């Protein structure tokens, strides 16, 4: 297969992806609608765009938006952002008409504006993009 010797062992101490830039993948139905949300509301920057993908940057992480023939929205969180001052971020995004998800099963551990405090003290909040992809923001105790 393409001249690769897949039986050869990796060199000792090899960490081939150690310095690689992570890239997440999300499926969307419309690039312009997605761009308006991810760039216009969330504040991500456009890294590249062609007929098949829209690649965005958040910090050093890239997010590749693709438009599949049939969109499937997963019933779980598909991408998240680690933030400082989660409450400030929730209020800022709410002001931009982002609606945070409220889950009855989280009970009193989730505030009325959508921030859940985990038993560890970490805080998380969930929201959806225009296609229904479930995204999160989180603040982790250090």
């Amino acid at each position: 297969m393409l001249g690769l010797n897949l039986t050869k062992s990796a060199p000792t101490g090899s960490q081939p992806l150690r310095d690689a830039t992570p890239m997440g993948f999300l499926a969307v139905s419309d690039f312009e609608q997605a761009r308006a949300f991810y760039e216009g509301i969330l504040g991500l920057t456009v890294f590249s765009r062609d007929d098949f993908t829209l690649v965005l940057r958040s910090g050093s992480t890239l997010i590749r938006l693709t438009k599949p023939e049939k969109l499937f929205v997963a019933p779980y969180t598909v991408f998240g952002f680690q933030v400082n001052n989660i409450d400030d971020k929730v209020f800022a995004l709410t002001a931009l008409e982002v609606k945070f998800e409220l889950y009855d099963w989280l009970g009193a551990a989730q505030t009325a504006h959508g921030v859940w405090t985990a038993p560890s003290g970490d805080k998380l909040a969930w929201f959806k993009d225009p296609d229904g992809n479930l995204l999160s923001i989180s603040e982790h105790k250090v």
Side-chain angles (χ1 to χ4, degrees), residues 73-90:
V73 177
Y76 48 80
T77 307
V78 295
F79 197 84
F81 301 87
Q82 186 173 327
V83 300
N84 294 317
N85 304 314
I86 191 170
D87 292 303
D88 292 347
K89 300 294 190 266
V90 167

Side-chain angles (χ1 to χ4, degrees), residues 51-62:
D51 291 341
F52 304 101
T53 63
L54 170 62
V55 181
L56 303 158
R57 180 184 295 278
S58 177
S60 63
T61 301
L62 298 173

